[in-house]
Amino acid sequence: MPPKQRNQIKPHINIVVIGHVDSGKSTTTGHLIFKCGGVDQRTIDKFKKEAEDIGKGSFCYAWVLDKLKSERERGITIDIALMQFETARYDVTIIDAPGHRDFIKNMITGTSQADAAVLIVASGTGEFEAGIGANGQTREHVLLAFTLGVRELIVAVNKMDLADWGEGRYNEIKKEVGNYLKKVGFQVPRVPFIPISGFKGDNVDVFSDTNLKWWKGMTVKSGPKGKEKDNNVKCLVEALDNVTEPNRPNGKPLRLPLQDVYKIGGIGTVPVGRVETGIIKPGMVVTFGPVGLSTEVKSVEMHHESMPEACPGDNVGFNVKNVSVKEIKRGFVASNSKQDPCKEAVSFEAQVIIMNHPGQISAGYTPVLDCHTAHIACKFTEITQKLDKRSGKVMEENPKSVKNGDASICILKPTKPMVVETFKEYSPLGRFAVRDMKQTVAVGVIKNVTKGESSGKATKSAVKATKAK
């Protein structure tokens, strides 16, 4: 297939859909993709019939995504193309079909790659309360999205059909979610709250006041800081178009954390992930950290189309030579072998803020760290300083322990080989969430990294490609 230029006219953005289980993420996303032409009417009719046959008629849109899920579980190549659609302004990729069983882990992998998030909140009686309550996932998802660098948020107040399209319920939800967003750090005047019905389709792709007689849209601020302008946003697609175009770090060396590695018959090993910094193109010799394995990139594809190069923000699959699926895995990072190749982090210093840990955290604590696509246990070897959260001033040197609400400087050591970078150099690889007891207990930003010297092997094709240059 000849290399096809991506829609260069429209900028590309990645959106992640988050929210409590059963808030209607899959249904809304499926409907959105359908309305924006990512999937045809025939497919929806087929799903509708299948869903009705087993008495789950309301699931037909969710199946647009869950069809992929079953394919994924059987290991067929994933058709991410279904999840790509265009709006008036953007070429949009919806990352990772929502609703996985190990959801938080996948949600972190997905969210660390997103430019903006759509938070779906169910407005049905009791449903909203369950989501926003202490055990609900709404709060945790919002917090993680912010930690992982997402600053643009859209709130879709879903299932308005179950709340009798009531304005009072919408305002109640808007107030409560708005307060929490503010507490986390989001700029609430920039966040649109759109009342929708993901199943019926109201306000998904076009403004509709048939049922929502009171809805006239919402004024939100958008654009770069200092040059904000007010926009009236009426439906979900308009809210996506209102997202500020992200700045892409093109000038830096390549960093591409692997989300998965596939073995595809007739092609070979295909790692998949999002380019965070730099570019990747066919013919380049990449080094996979932390193992230091180098090989040549044969081709780069996005949405099943061959590309001459991929830039930051692109979700791509790339074919590599002489490398077996067993040698590289999720959490590894691809880098350019000639330009600051990534190395294993032996230990690193980070600023860590403890958010909801029931006890004290002291040296020796070993929770799981979620950083880019890696999920690896790391040991807090020492806590060097306790800081004032607001001003960053040092409150105490070498504290014995830290607790909820404390900010600290810690030295961490991964229990398995892992790649991390400083937040200053490569921000997407320099922030992490700390998970323990099935919840996020702390978040952190990496200040310094002590790197190991990796003497990884170079494949035949890497040697050949290097010589040819």
Side-chain angles (χ1 to χ4, degrees):
M1 190 187 278
K4 175 190 175 226
Q5 290 298 319
R6 281 283 306 296
N7 191 332
Q8 296 294 350
I9 311 145
K10 290 184 183 174
H12 176 221
I13 58 166
N14 293 300
I15 303 286
V16 67
V17 181
I18 58 176
H20 189 64
V21 60
D22 283 346
S23 58
K25 295 183 292 285
S26 291
T27 298
T28 305
T29 312
H31 209 135
L32 184 66
I33 291 170
F34 165 60
K35 287 283 175 86
C36 293
V39 57
D40 58 10
Q41 182 68 49
R42 203 182 79 221
T43 313
I44 287 289
D45 289 343
K46 181 170 148 266
F47 287 157
K48 220 173 216 164
K49 190 180 174 314
E50 285 174 12
E52 276 161 5
D53 287 350
I54 61 160
K56 291 192 169 180
S58 69
F59 279 151
C60 63
Y61 292 111
W63 279 19
V64 172
L65 298 176
D66 294 346
K67 167 98 170 43
L68 289 171
K69 215 164 96 184
S70 63
E71 281 187 9
R72 198 177 271 193
E73 278 158 11
R74 290 202 307 271
I76 303 167
T77 50
I78 339 165
D79 191 356
I80 309 184
L82 245 189
M83 326 204 36
Q84 180 195 26
F85 61 90
E86 287 183 25
T87 63
R89 182 177 171 194
Y90 288 121
D91 170 10
V92 183
T93 302
I94 293 236
I95 302 169
D96 214 9
H100 291 281
R101 278 186 293 282
D102 61 342
F103 189 62
I104 287 293
K105 196 164 167 181
N106 274 327
M107 185 234 145
I108 289 170
T109 306
T111 309
S112 67
Q113 303 173 334
D115 299 312
V118 176
L119 170 68
I120 307 238
V121 183
S123 57
T125 313
E127 278 193 281
F128 167 66
E129 287 71 12
I132 200 91
N135 297 330
Q137 291 167 330
T138 308
R139 286 170 183 260
E140 186 169 16
H141 288 186
V142 166
L143 194 60
L144 282 167
F146 191 80
T147 309
L148 295 161
V150 174
R151 292 293 172 270
E152 298 263 345
L153 186 71
I154 295 160
V155 180
V157 182
N158 192 18
K159 304 194 184 181
M160 285 303 287
D161 45 321
L162 300 183
D164 298 327
W165 312 99
E167 184 177 5
R169 181 63 165 162
Y170 164 82
N171 286 333
E172 179 192 345
I173 289 172
K174 183 180 163 193
K175 186 179 171 200
E176 188 158 346
V177 175
N179 286 344
Y180 184 66
L181 295 183
K182 193 173 172 185
K183 195 172 138 196
V184 168
F186 282 102
Q187 293 176 327
V188 179
R190 297 179 74 105
V191 177
F193 287 77
I194 314 282
I196 65 162
S197 163
F199 177 54
K200 299 255 193 325
D202 293 71
N203 275 348
V204 171
D205 62 325
V206 287
F207 168 60
S208 124
D209 56 2
T210 328
N211 294 310
L212 295 153
K213 302 263 187 288
W214 49 271
W215 175 247
K216 299 285 176 276
M218 178 181 170
T219 303
V220 288
K221 298 208 174 303
S222 71
K225 216 172 176 182
K227 295 182 192 165
E228 286 113 337
K229 52 182 194 295
D230 287 350
N231 281 349
N232 187 306
V233 176
K234 292 181 173 168
C235 66
L236 196 50
V237 169
E238 279 183 22
L240 292 176
D241 277 346
N242 195 50
V243 168
T244 308
E245 194 180 326
N247 280 335
R248 303 285 189 208
N250 282 330
K252 295 194 162 160
L254 173 69
R255 287 293 182 273
L256 192 161
L258 307 186
Q259 204 175 348
D260 266 310
V261 183
Y262 296 97
K263 182 179 181 180
I264 298 172
I267 297 172
T269 304
V270 179
V272 174
R274 156 168 146 145
V275 181
E276 293 295 356
T277 57
I279 58 166
I280 183 168
K281 52 187 178 191
M284 180 189 262
V285 175
V286 291
T287 297
F288 292 103
V291 289
L293 170 69
S294 299
T295 188
E296 188 189 358
V297 175
K298 278 295 164 205
S299 63
V300 178
E301 285 198 1
M302 177 151 163
H303 298 307
H304 297 304
E305 281 156 6
S306 188
M307 300 171 74
E309 66 174 36
C311 306
D314 290 345
N315 279 298
V316 296
F318 56 101
N319 175 222
V320 289
K321 263 194 115 174
N322 310 105
V323 175
S324 84
V325 178
K326 293 191 176 73
E327 290 178 279
I328 49 177
K329 55 177 189 271
R330 176 186 188 152
F332 281 17
V333 179
S335 59
N336 184 343
S337 62
K338 298 210 172 35
Q339 204 186 5
D340 188 24
C342 48
K343 296 188 165 78
E344 179 185 341
V346 180
S347 67
F348 53 94
E349 180 186 48
Q351 181 174 340
V352 181
I353 296 174
I354 289 99
M355 289 170 330
N356 46 1
H357 192 280
Q360 308 265 359
I361 287 179
S362 48
Y365 178 53
T366 313
V368 172
L369 247 64
D370 294 311
C371 182
H372 56 87
T373 58
H375 308 287
I376 286 176
C378 293
K379 185 177 184 177
F380 281 69
T381 52
E382 51 182 306
I383 301 169
T384 54
Q385 290 171 331
K386 188 159 133 187
L387 310 172
D388 179 295
K389 210 161 56 177
R390 297 276 171 266
S391 66
K393 283 202 185 94
V394 178
M395 312 257 292
E396 188 185 337
E397 294 284 350
N398 302 319
K400 260 198 123 41
S401 63
V402 282
K403 58 180 192 320
N404 245 3
D406 286 348
S408 58
I409 298 286
C410 306
I411 308 289
L412 288 104
K413 187 176 172 51
T415 57
K416 286 188 190 140
M418 176 184 195
V419 172
V420 297
E421 299 284 1
T422 62
F423 185 77
K424 198 171 151 206
E425 287 291 311
Y426 302 97
S427 54
L429 286 84
R431 46 177 174 247
F432 58 84
V434 178
R435 281 190 311 129
D436 192 9
M437 302 163 289
K438 292 211 158 91
Q439 57 177 351
T440 305
V441 294
V443 293
V445 168
I446 297 169
K447 302 282 193 199
N448 289 304
V449 181
T450 308
K451 295 185 178 182
E453 279 309 313
S454 54
S455 51
K457 72 166 197 182
T459 62
K460 280 186 232 155
S461 67
V463 176
K464 213 158 127 191
T466 314
K467 274 183 190 156
K469 288 176 186 168

